Amino acid sequence: MRCPYCGGSDTQVKDSRPSEDGAAIRRRRVCPDCGGRFTTFERVQLRELTVMKRSGKRVPFDRDKLQRSIDVALRKRAVEPERIERLVSGITRQLESAGEAEVASEAIGELVMAGLKGLDDVAYVRFASVYKNFREAKDFEDLLGTLGGTLVPALEPEPEPEAKPAPRRGPKP
């Protein structure tokens, strides 16, 4: 493993332990050249996955990209990092164990939406608005209707009071 600080190629493992969810090994490393310390994670990869995009382009599955997109949806939301890691690991395991080497991006998006719906409603709406490419407020309304909550009915505009004639200004008769 290369040192992220100096680029040295001979780093040493000082400590290894399983991660919180048990799906990865957390390793503390030190670089003998610069003394830098850093952490790496080892995860089991059942198979190489290829993502088929809507455009037809095929790209390798990137767990970090999945993590980033979920992090963006959950930005400034009070969700524990362990729950986020479990969601990402669960989605990755589902994809790898599905038996297909090629996965449609839509399938990944649906798994993320299902996971976020159970995790945080606001993050679910944020992700869905980008994933489903919302164009108008009606799209949000339809999605919010699926959350099971009740939408606040739109308020009717209050009627404007009838105009009173302006007082006359001028010489009194």
Side-chain angles (χ1 to χ4, degrees):
M1 174 63 61
R2 286 200 179 280
C3 173
Y5 305 111
C6 71
S9 61
D10 189 29
T11 59
Q12 300 168 349
V13 175
K14 289 297 178 187
D15 180 43
S16 291
R17 66 180 68 168
S19 64
E20 290 81 16
D21 64 354
I25 301 292
R26 179 183 184 270
R27 300 196 192 280
R28 281 298 291 160
R29 295 179 176 266
V30 66
C31 176
D33 297 337
C34 71
R37 294 177 178 267
F38 58 100
T39 302
T40 60
F41 290 90
E42 269 183 42
R43 289 185 175 79
V44 173
Q45 184 173 344
L46 297 175
R47 67 181 45 173
E48 289 287 324
L49 292 175
T50 302
V51 178
M52 188 170 48
K53 303 270 199 177
R54 290 179 183 162
S55 66
K57 184 178 176 185
R58 287 170 169 70
V59 296
F61 175 74
D62 185 356
R63 186 183 194 283
D64 292 334
K65 183 177 179 182
L66 175 65
Q67 174 82 47
R68 284 190 307 272
S69 65
I70 290 173
D71 286 342
V72 167
L74 286 163
R75 186 173 290 144
K76 295 187 179 183
R77 301 298 300 161
V79 177
E80 300 82 28
E82 296 82 32
R83 293 182 70 196
I84 299 169
E85 178 60 30
R86 277 197 305 270
L87 174 62
V88 173
S89 294
I91 291 170
T92 304
R93 258 185 264 119
Q94 268 186 284
L95 294 170
E96 289 176 342
S97 62
E100 298 293 323
E102 202 168 83
V103 180
S105 62
E106 290 85 6
I108 298 171
E110 294 299 326
L111 287 172
V112 171
M113 284 182 45
L116 286 174
K117 191 173 188 178
L119 201 60
D120 185 88
D121 287 343
V122 172
Y124 168 71
V125 172
R126 284 179 181 167
F127 185 86
S129 70
V130 173
Y131 173 68
K132 294 190 178 278
N133 200 17
F134 286 0
R135 296 274 187 219
E136 53 191 53
K138 179 80 172 119
D139 298 332
F140 284 98
E141 235 177 78
D142 295 341
L143 181 73
L144 291 173
T146 67
L147 288 176
T150 57
L151 290 174
V152 177
L155 297 175
E156 294 286 326
E158 291 193 26
E160 292 186 29
E162 291 187 33
K164 294 180 184 175
R168 296 180 112 193
R169 294 188 187 209
K172 291 186 181 179

